Amino acid sequence: MTAPAGAKADTEPTALFLRACRGLPVARTPVWLLRQAGRYQPEYRALREKHSLLELIRTPELAAQVTLLPVEAFELDAAIVFSDILPPLVGMGLDLAFLKGDGPSIGNPIVSTRDVDLLGTPPAEETMPATLRAIALVRAELESRDIPVIGFAGAPFTLASYAIEGSTSRDYSRTKAFMLSEPAAWRRLLRKLVTVQSDYLLAQARAGAQALQVFDSWAGRALGRDDYVRYVAPHNRELLAAVAQAGVPVVNFSLGVGSYLAEAAACGGDVVGLDWHLPLDEAWELVGLERPVQGNLDPAALLAPWPELRFRIDDVLDRAGDRPGHVFNVGHGLVPQTPVDNVRRLVEHVRERTSR
């Protein structure tokens, strides 16, 4: 594997994850996992017995502790700060709670154009100081081990859908009705979200995040290609262009956009996160082989017996081949039922299989 033309040796990172994000040669394929810090770990469940989710997120020392749990347990190649995509909505004026067994809930969802106009756009240093502090703590802990810290935020459509629906949704009917019937207010809402999220992501980079990821969890499930291109893509492009100023790799991850993956990837980002709906080699062709990619094991594969899980890991690695720029990951977050031993065996197998 050779470095791409124009790469400067004196500015090349040494961390495997950061090198792969730049398409540089690596000694082996780096691996980290979406939702790697979470409910499948008994240590995390023990903390949740004592603290609510928002308490963990809003206490920097606890958020840093949770962030480090999987890194220490599995020797992963990156740490992603423990948080959630929704807390920035609180600073805008929305009432967020996480209800046991029911997930997130917005107490005052957007129902009118006036609700959009009342939303604020305060700076992240005022609204998200705990997460920024947690990033700094984790960076200080991992710096000597050359393990980078990833910051993240939700994409505009995903946050808008939560703000309008008031919770998770099966059909996104309220969101789509607002989008189609109030297009001017929809644009104002997404522009405010771009302002808040770009500021938040840039603040995470200043706090010490060495890479950033933008999650568009719901646009691919809610919208067809034409509506995505018309109502979502312009705002994702604006967000990703703004975040590029951070000077760190940015991962553009959209769930469920297999039928318009090229359009989603064209919105920007240095790395394209891939879900599991397309084989990795086919998805990479659509993205463009010059772009690094991240993915794309089905997270449900970790519920399978080891021979089946190993077969699926190998299939992803075989499809990636020796081309530079692949970060091994799951195509969405680990589920709470994930066996800890399967996580350990996955990481060990990727490391052993790809060591050069």
Side-chain angles (χ1 to χ4, degrees):
M1 299 166 66
T2 59
K8 297 181 180 179
D10 59 349
T11 61
E12 289 183 4
T14 55
L16 294 177
F17 169 72
L18 297 178
R19 290 181 66 83
C21 286
R22 291 183 55 180
L24 296 170
V26 290
R28 60 170 176 79
T29 300
V31 53
W32 72 278
L33 304 170
L34 299 175
R35 290 189 194 149
Q36 62 188 25
R39 290 174 289 174
Y40 73 98
Q41 286 192 284
E43 299 89 345
Y44 173 80
R45 292 197 296 270
L47 284 171
R48 285 287 277 115
E49 289 292 325
K50 303 175 183 177
H51 307 280
S52 71
L53 178 60
L54 285 176
E55 285 173 343
L56 291 179
I57 292 171
R58 291 169 175 170
T59 307
E61 294 76 14
L62 290 176
Q65 180 183 347
V66 175
T67 301
L68 292 168
L69 284 175
V71 178
E72 302 295 347
F74 310 118
E75 298 184 29
L76 293 152
D77 294 307
I80 186 165
V81 65
F82 180 76
S83 188
D84 189 87
I85 63 171
L86 297 182
L89 294 177
V90 176
M92 298 179 73
L94 296 173
D95 183 13
L96 171 67
F98 287 90
L99 307 178
K100 191 171 183 179
D102 293 323
S105 174
I106 303 293
N108 55 337
I110 294 170
V111 296
S112 69
T113 60
R114 183 174 182 272
D115 294 334
V116 171
D117 295 332
L118 290 174
L119 293 175
T121 56
E125 281 85 357
E126 293 181 8
T127 63
M128 299 296 295
T131 297
L132 301 180
R133 177 59 181 157
I135 288 171
L137 291 173
V138 175
R139 173 75 181 267
E141 181 68 26
L142 296 179
E143 186 83 38
S144 64
R145 295 159 61 182
D146 205 18
I147 298 174
V149 185
I150 305 170
F152 71 90
F157 180 89
T158 292
L159 291 189
S161 69
Y162 275 110
I164 295 170
E165 302 286 343
S167 62
T168 55
S169 174
R170 291 185 177 181
D171 57 16
Y172 306 93
S173 57
R174 293 178 182 174
T175 302
K176 294 163 77 172
F178 191 91
M179 180 182 78
L180 297 172
S181 62
E182 299 290 351
W186 173 261
R187 288 192 296 272
R188 294 199 301 276
L189 171 59
L190 266 64
R191 284 170 183 157
K192 286 190 173 188
L193 289 168
V194 167
T195 297
V196 169
Q197 297 301 79
S198 60
D199 176 76
Y200 180 36
L201 287 161
L202 292 170
Q204 290 181 69
R206 290 193 298 272
Q210 293 142 288
L212 301 168
Q213 179 156 301
V214 176
F215 287 88
D216 206 346
S217 304
W218 303 135
R221 294 186 175 185
L223 303 177
R225 182 179 61 188
D226 290 349
D227 281 341
Y228 177 87
V229 169
R230 181 178 178 183
Y231 293 102
V232 176
H235 306 287
N236 283 1
R237 286 196 299 269
E238 184 182 1
L239 174 61
L240 289 162
V243 176
Q245 301 173 39
V248 301
V250 178
V251 182
N252 170 5
F253 175 69
S254 298
L255 180 65
V257 296
S259 61
Y260 47 90
L261 177 58
E263 287 83 354
C267 290
D270 304 289
V271 183
V272 178
L274 303 174
D275 67 20
W276 69 97
H277 295 139
L278 289 174
L280 186 136
D281 53 344
E282 294 180 24
W284 206 342
E285 289 274 1
L286 290 170
V287 166
L289 296 178
E290 74 285 354
R291 300 272 296 278
V293 297
Q294 176 179 282
N296 71 332
L297 181 72
D298 183 346
L302 281 105
L303 305 177
W306 172 242
E308 178 66 21
L309 173 56
R310 181 178 58 197
F311 170 81
R312 290 171 179 251
I313 296 168
D314 285 340
D315 183 64
V316 172
L317 294 173
D318 288 343
R319 292 176 184 277
D322 291 329
R323 183 181 297 112
H326 177 226
V327 177
F328 192 95
N329 209 316
V330 284
H332 199 221
L334 297 180
V335 298
Q337 301 82 10
T338 302
V340 170
D341 191 51
N342 272 359
V343 176
R344 180 175 294 106
R345 296 179 81 171
L346 179 156
V347 175
E348 290 175 352
H349 186 66
V350 172
R351 294 169 69 97
E352 293 169 3
R353 164 74 195 274
T354 64
S355 294
R356 299 174 173 87

